[in-house]
Amino acid sequence: ATQSSFILSSLQNGFGAAGAAAATSVSEIISSCIYVKLLIRRKLVKLSRLLKPPSLKALIPLIQGGLAILLRQATLNVAFVCAARRAQSLDPSGVSAAAYGITMQIYSLGVVAHLGIQATAASMVSSARAMGGDNAGREVAD
């Protein structure tokens, strides 16, 4: 609700896309501050630990998992762009490209959910490996 009011206000005052981007940034900062405040109030996080960077040893498994996810997503993006380019070159009228676009939107509904589950699982395994070693990662993966 906060983001919507910021964006509407910026668009009505003539700031355009730049105002909408700034409004989105402000609303995200406000949301994150509220979220951190709630985490601290419920004693789920300590401010001193929040500001202390983790050790490199703890970060290595997370970086490895993150790079694997990044490589996978980059590969999918290249494949989708190549397929879209090919579909757009099929006919000059653009009918095939439009049909391909509609098909991809329907397909994307399932893919987004599937990729979200995969990325979450990969993140959970990496996190478990960072906290408990390879055996803990395998246990989470199973």
Side-chain angles (χ1 to χ4, degrees), residues 2-3 6 19-33:
T2 304
Q3 182 178 1
F6 277 139
T24 301
S25 298
V26 168
S27 68
E28 291 296 327
I29 290 169
I30 291 171
S31 297
S32 64
C33 289

Side-chain angles (χ1 to χ4, degrees), residues 89-113:
S89 68
L90 289 176
D91 69 4
S93 69
V95 173
S96 294
Y100 178 78
I102 292 168
T103 304
M104 286 306 296
Q105 287 177 354
I106 294 168
Y107 175 73
S108 292
L109 292 174
V111 168
V112 167

Side-chain angles (χ1 to χ4, degrees), residues 8-60:
L8 289 176
S9 173
S10 68
L11 291 175
Q12 288 173 350
N13 292 327
F15 292 110
T24 301
S25 298
V26 168
S27 68
E28 291 296 327
I29 290 169
I30 291 171
S31 297
S32 64
C33 289
I34 291 169
Y35 184 63
V36 169
K37 183 179 177 182
L38 288 172
L39 287 173
I40 292 171
R41 182 184 299 163
R42 294 179 182 173
K43 297 181 180 166
L44 295 172
V45 71
K46 292 180 182 177
L47 190 57
S48 61
R49 297 221 34 197
L50 187 64
L51 299 175
K52 180 183 172 191
S55 68
L56 183 60
K57 184 180 178 183
L59 285 177
I60 296 276

